[in-house]
Amino acid sequence: MKQTKIAVSKLRPFENNPYQVRDDAEMNTLIESIQTQGILSPLIVRPIENTDEYEVVSGHRRLHAAVKTGISEVPALIYALDRDAAAIAVVDSNLHREHILPSEKAFAYKLKMEALSHQGTSRQLGEKWSVSQISESANESERQIHRYIRLTYLIPEFLEKMNKDEIALSVGVELSLLGESSQREVLEQCVINDCTPSYS
């Protein structure tokens, strides 16, 4: 695989990328590193059909840092991946990161499960098979994978509370079983009573 340089203007973030790109201390460190040494590890991208643009599979944070430093071209490796293969690669290339938010894990596992399901035969068989595949690669139990995927049914306000460690995973899972209007009622009561949801 030959490394090439691609204009930043021709790169697009992966659609529905489950991982947030945050302007935090880690990003500042990355920006400083790029300013002094350049981008050491090439981005992995895939061609977007019928365009001369590329979708980022791995390297969203490096791309963001490059834009911040005013770099116009970045080193990249181009892989001809279909949408599902790219989705799996997006998830896998970030799961080893040190700080992953519960919401990021939730949407990452869901994205990977859907991609793997498409590659399976029937939807039901595909879903069961894909969760066991994720469990193996993520080093988490199938039950835990299912619990994280449940979190994708939470309203954004509760997801944010999960990210801030204000709600336990088990409580988030219970809340996710409620419909949106019921979740909003719980949220309203939390605001009125200045509390966060717990089992009690």
Side-chain angles (χ1 to χ4, degrees):
M1 181 59 55
K2 195 167 132 277
Q3 188 173 308
T4 184
K5 288 250 185 190
I6 299 179
V8 165
S9 60
K10 292 192 181 233
L11 293 170
R12 301 285 165 260
F14 190 82
E15 197 184 342
N16 299 329
N17 176 20
Y19 303 103
Q20 298 172 19
V21 174
R22 295 183 290 279
D23 284 312
D24 52 15
E26 279 182 39
M27 180 58 69
N28 291 338
T29 305
L30 183 58
I31 289 169
E32 282 169 27
S33 163
I34 288 174
Q35 281 170 335
T36 54
Q37 299 171 293
I39 297 175
L40 301 176
S41 182
L43 282 70
I44 293 173
V45 301
R46 73 179 196 113
I48 300 174
E49 294 81 1
N50 308 319
T51 70
D52 62 346
E53 296 179 342
Y54 300 88
E55 190 171 45
V56 177
V57 174
S58 173
H60 289 86
R61 293 174 71 253
R62 275 165 282 159
L63 176 61
H64 183 74
V67 170
K68 287 267 185 187
T69 56
I71 292 173
S72 59
E73 280 188 334
V74 293
L77 297 171
I78 302 168
Y79 287 89
L81 299 170
D82 66 20
R83 171 80 194 164
D84 291 330
I88 293 164
V90 166
V91 172
D92 289 349
S93 68
N94 283 280
L95 274 181
H96 62 274
R97 271 189 14 221
E98 208 178 324
H99 307 292
I100 297 182
L101 299 173
S103 66
E104 292 178 321
K105 252 189 194 184
F107 285 101
Y109 289 156
K110 186 180 185 189
L111 181 69
K112 186 170 180 180
M113 183 190 72
E114 288 168 352
L116 285 167
S117 294
H118 295 155
Q119 296 175 343
T121 43
S122 76
R123 178 169 159 70
Q124 229 173 355
L125 259 176
E127 208 159 289
K128 192 167 171 28
W129 174 77
S130 58
V131 168
S132 70
Q133 293 271 104
I134 297 168
S135 168
E136 274 174 43
S137 63
N139 224 357
E140 293 206 66
S141 69
E142 290 185 30
R143 182 167 177 265
Q144 192 75 332
I145 302 291
H146 278 294
R147 291 171 79 198
Y148 271 110
I149 291 171
R150 272 298 328 163
L151 300 182
T152 62
Y153 295 93
L154 285 175
I155 57 174
E157 292 87 342
F158 282 146
L159 265 178
E160 189 53 38
K161 286 183 183 296
M162 296 251 6
N163 288 341
K164 290 178 179 170
D165 282 334
E166 291 173 10
I167 302 178
L169 177 63
S170 51
V171 176
V173 171
E174 292 299 319
L175 285 168
S176 75
L177 299 169
L178 301 172
E180 187 181 339
S181 58
S182 300
Q183 286 188 47
R184 297 237 167 253
E185 282 171 30
V186 173
L187 181 66
E188 198 179 323
Q189 288 305 313
C190 290
V191 172
I192 291 167
N193 298 296
D194 191 24
C195 64
T196 51
S198 66
Y199 269 126
S200 54

